[in-house]
Amino acid sequence: MMMMACSATALLAQAKLDARHPINVNHKYTAVSDTTVLQQVDFGSKQVNLISFRAKAPKGATLTITNLSAKLPTRWGNRPIPEQFLAQMRKGFGVIANIEIAASNDYQMVTLPINNHPNGVVDLKVQSADGRELTLDWFGFDLQPDVHPALLSKAELKPWTKGGMETGKYRNLFAELGYTEAQIDAKLNELYDALFTGPDRIYFELPDNLGIVSDVKNHDARTEGMSYGMMIAVQLDKKDVFDRIYRWAKKYMQMKDGNQKGYFAWSVKPDGSNPARGAAADGELYFITSLIFASNRWGNDTGINYLKEAQDLLDIIMGKDGQLRLIDEKTNLIAFVPGANYTDPSYHLPAFYEVWAKYANDGRAEYWKECARVSREYLHKSIHPVTGLNPDYNNFDGSLMKTGRTLGDAFRYDSWRVPMNITLDYSWSNVDREWQTDYGHRLQNFLYKEGIDSFLDQYNVDGTTVTDTLSAGGFKELRHTPGFIATSAALSMVCEHAKAREFVDRFWNNRHDVTPSGYKDAYYEGILRLFAFMHLSGRYQVIEPKKK
């Protein structure tokens, strides 16, 4: 039961948004109802991100405010969204706030952030969601100003000299720069919810305890996203999500025959049909490492023998049963795809090899250490000495392929991951810190010179403008993009110069909104934003076995 103090005329509430003042839905009538609808509330063009209200609930209550004007998308691009996905998207769709109010006979003033930002003129449904008595005096919305502790902090930027694999400790750069733990936790939850539960979600649960991470703009599931989803799930201790994703991958993606038997097809339709005939290396790397972490975190007797699955994959990528090798036999470098004679800098994760050496128990510990060593050497050769940029693909010796194609020699979408991956190696292993700090300064200096609020998402490796733009989801434009804003900020972990603070500040305050041309990549850029945040907050860790 909800009671609002207010006058009968107040079902129309038109309040223009002013960044200095809240939108106050202040009604002068008294109503006792489980649900109240407020029509034509005008939020203007800016996205509010705070709700404030004054309420009391003698036995506690849940206040839910829903945007009735929100329209659920029914298509991804030019294709209808499958009904089984739509059903999950409908759950909680349009909910602006769902707030637990503590039991009290006195009015409480509450201010909290909201994630699903309304704008324009909308109808709001206000209700006591669980039927408990709730008296709501007033509520309003406001535009919270950006917060800038990173710019105000006097803390010295000094990269750590030992990695988490040795110390068991992980640097929280956000906390060092003055962000509170409450702020950090709230932002982490916001980024996770955007991917796994929100209206722009990319994770969907399916019958038979299955789950899928979908690249919604390309209408498929990819080993990249599936394995990333597993890494996120194991890092954040979400076992059910992890198991669902891996079961789907095993059922629909793992190839049953041919010279890539046992590998995972890099792309499959959301209904499990049309698997690609071939694997992509980054998916296998993340599958193996996340499975080892799952074994360390949850053990191997809860339905999936995670360690055995990882060991089987390690045998497969080494061609134990005649499969094409994923690790090039001559160079010990990871190939772009099994058997390929070239590679992708963003597939080089030397810290993963260190994890395999320590925890895989597959008899190849010294070999994996060597793979880590040569992978670091390869990265040194692949990155431009002035700009810090790298190509999307190149030869094993670090030289450009010079194919003349749009995709290959330039810094484009795959390349955004390289600064994040080097940050990972610094955080976990910390055996290449001097070079990594120099690299971090090079790349951030180049981007800063380009404009910290305007650097682009594609360049030639020498820093010149590309002549042909690689399209994404049907959009072909150069952008200042949330994904690259995030990974360039993650690199601040290895940096000592003052500019690093500004990259962290811009990432914290960046909003993943639709561009003026209508583009938003909830999948790839959303995942990179979450990964980068996990790095900067010390939440991306080597998961060690539980002590018996």
Side-chain angles (χ1 to χ4, degrees):
M1 177 93 44
M2 183 186 71
M3 293 177 281
M4 292 181 71
C6 318
S7 109
T9 59
L11 288 181
L12 271 192
Q14 297 191 8
K16 257 319 196 191
L17 174 65
D18 184 323
R20 297 167 299 173
H21 303 291
I23 295 177
N24 283 320
V25 184
N26 238 344
H27 303 295
K28 309 266 186 212
Y29 74 100
T30 299
V32 179
S33 171
D34 287 335
T35 301
T36 298
V37 174
L38 308 175
Q39 297 176 322
Q40 300 291 298
V41 179
D42 190 349
F43 286 89
S45 60
K46 293 183 180 179
Q47 290 193 325
V48 296
N49 50 21
L50 283 180
I51 183 171
S52 298
F53 59 87
R54 185 172 184 264
K56 64 181 178 180
K59 296 182 180 180
T62 302
L63 170 65
T64 300
I65 301 176
T66 305
N67 177 2
L68 296 178
S69 303
K71 289 183 169 53
L72 182 73
T74 58
R75 306 182 73 83
W76 287 329
N78 59 357
R79 302 187 187 187
I81 299 173
E83 177 56 37
Q84 58 188 346
F85 293 172
L86 276 173
Q88 293 177 59
M89 293 167 68
R90 289 189 189 102
K91 294 178 182 177
F93 183 76
V95 173
I96 297 170
N98 193 55
I99 302 164
E100 284 289 329
I101 299 173
S104 176
N105 290 315
D106 299 320
Y107 278 107
Q108 306 171 61
M109 274 289 300
V110 179
T111 298
L112 292 169
I114 58 173
N115 295 332
N116 298 328
H117 317 288
N119 54 28
V121 179
V122 305
D123 295 343
L124 298 180
K125 180 172 73 173
V126 185
Q127 64 186 133
S128 173
D130 49 16
R132 288 179 289 175
E133 180 182 338
L134 168 63
T135 303
L136 183 62
D137 185 25
W138 63 267
F139 69 97
F141 297 91
D142 203 357
L143 181 65
Q144 181 181 27
D146 290 346
V147 294
H148 302 286
L151 302 183
L152 301 174
S153 171
K154 303 296 183 183
E156 182 182 11
L157 287 173
K158 196 70 177 174
W160 288 9
T161 58
K162 293 183 179 180
M165 198 173 292
E166 178 182 353
T167 66
K169 298 178 180 178
Y170 296 86
R171 186 181 184 196
N172 185 338
L173 187 56
F174 284 134
E176 286 181 32
L177 294 177
Y179 299 91
T180 67
E181 287 298 330
Q183 288 174 317
I184 294 167
D185 288 343
K187 182 76 80 171
L188 178 66
N189 290 335
E190 177 184 339
L191 292 169
Y192 177 85
D193 290 346
L195 296 176
F196 286 83
T197 65
D200 289 330
R201 65 193 297 161
I202 60 169
Y203 167 74
F204 301 92
E205 293 185 350
L206 302 169
D208 301 320
N209 293 316
L210 302 178
I212 183 175
V213 174
S214 177
D215 180 355
V216 294
K217 72 179 185 302
N218 287 309
H219 318 291
D220 65 356
R222 303 183 172 202
T223 52
E224 164 195 76
M226 295 288 282
S227 61
Y228 287 4
M230 287 166 57
M231 181 61 79
I232 291 165
V234 72
Q235 289 290 331
L236 301 181
D237 199 11
K238 297 182 183 292
K239 185 178 185 300
D240 182 62
V241 172
F242 185 101
D243 289 354
R244 284 175 176 273
I245 295 172
Y246 190 59
R247 289 191 198 101
W248 197 94
K250 286 281 289 183
K251 182 173 183 178
Y252 293 110
M253 300 182 112
Q254 195 162 36
M255 291 180 273
K256 307 298 190 293
D257 52 37
N259 60 10
Q260 294 190 45
K261 180 180 179 181
Y263 282 101
F264 291 84
W266 75 270
S267 171
V268 179
K269 295 301 178 188
D271 61 2
S273 64
N274 297 326
R277 291 304 302 168
D282 57 337
E284 261 60 20
L285 289 175
Y286 273 86
F287 278 132
I288 292 166
T289 309
S290 62
L291 284 163
I292 290 171
F293 286 163
S295 171
N296 289 352
R297 168 153 270 166
W298 301 313
N300 298 297
D301 56 359
T302 61
I304 299 174
N305 188 332
Y306 303 112
L307 185 59
K308 177 68 163 53
E309 294 290 323
Q311 290 169 337
D312 288 348
L313 276 172
L314 288 169
D315 285 344
I316 289 163
I317 70 171
M318 293 298 289
K320 181 180 179 182
D321 295 322
Q323 298 98 333
L324 293 174
R325 284 175 57 115
L326 195 57
I327 308 294
D328 179 66
E329 201 162 4
K330 293 180 181 178
T331 63
N332 294 332
L333 295 172
I334 192 160
F336 181 67
V337 296
N341 62 357
Y342 66 98
T343 187
D344 179 329
S346 75
Y347 290 2
H348 285 259
L349 291 147
F352 279 14
Y353 299 132
E354 303 277 8
V355 169
W356 301 358
K358 190 170 183 178
Y359 298 118
N361 299 322
D362 68 339
R364 302 186 182 97
E366 294 307 311
Y367 178 74
W368 298 132
K369 291 176 185 178
E370 175 62 12
C371 288
R373 185 188 68 79
V374 298
S375 185
R376 293 182 183 109
E377 288 184 352
Y378 156 84
L379 286 169
H380 293 192
K381 298 173 187 174
S382 297
I383 290 169
H384 193 277
V386 177
T387 64
L389 298 169
N390 57 269
D392 268 6
Y393 310 150
N394 64 357
N395 297 309
F396 288 129
D397 64 3
S399 62
L400 297 179
M401 297 175 69
K402 298 181 179 179
T403 63
R405 299 172 184 164
T406 299
L407 189 59
D409 286 350
F411 180 98
R412 302 186 192 269
Y413 305 136
D414 273 18
S415 296
W416 302 349
R417 295 180 289 204
V418 171
M420 183 178 71
N421 294 345
I422 289 173
T423 298
L424 178 83
D425 192 38
Y426 151 79
S427 178
W428 290 6
S429 301
N430 210 314
V431 296
D432 198 18
R433 183 171 61 88
E434 185 176 340
W435 178 84
Q436 290 166 345
T437 296
D438 176 70
Y439 159 72
H441 291 167
R442 270 185 280 158
L443 182 59
Q444 286 194 347
N445 283 337
F446 169 74
L447 298 177
Y448 199 89
K449 184 178 178 181
E450 289 290 296
I452 193 168
D453 295 313
S454 58
F455 62 80
L456 300 174
D457 57 350
Q458 300 179 51
Y459 289 99
N460 294 316
V461 293
D462 64 1
T464 56
T465 304
V466 294
T467 56
D468 191 11
T469 305
L470 187 65
S471 66
F475 290 79
K476 194 169 184 177
E477 58 185 358
L478 293 174
R479 297 175 291 121
H480 183 58
T481 183
F484 190 28
I485 291 169
T487 61
S488 63
L491 196 56
S492 296
M493 294 278 283
V494 310
C495 294
E496 297 175 343
H497 61 191
K499 296 184 184 75
R501 302 173 189 276
E502 297 186 55
F503 281 89
V504 172
D505 172 77
R506 296 312 197 274
F507 172 43
W508 182 278
N509 290 302
N510 177 252
R511 294 187 175 93
H512 194 184
D513 296 331
V514 177
T515 67
S517 62
Y519 180 77
K520 178 180 179 179
D521 181 4
Y523 163 76
Y524 183 59
E525 296 196 54
I527 291 174
L528 293 186
R529 280 165 56 81
L530 179 53
F531 272 154
F533 195 90
M534 290 163 62
H535 282 302
L536 286 162
S537 61
R539 267 70 164 182
Y540 202 155
Q541 303 180 2
V542 175
I543 299 173
E544 300 176 356
K546 287 185 176 179
K547 295 180 180 179
K548 296 182 180 179

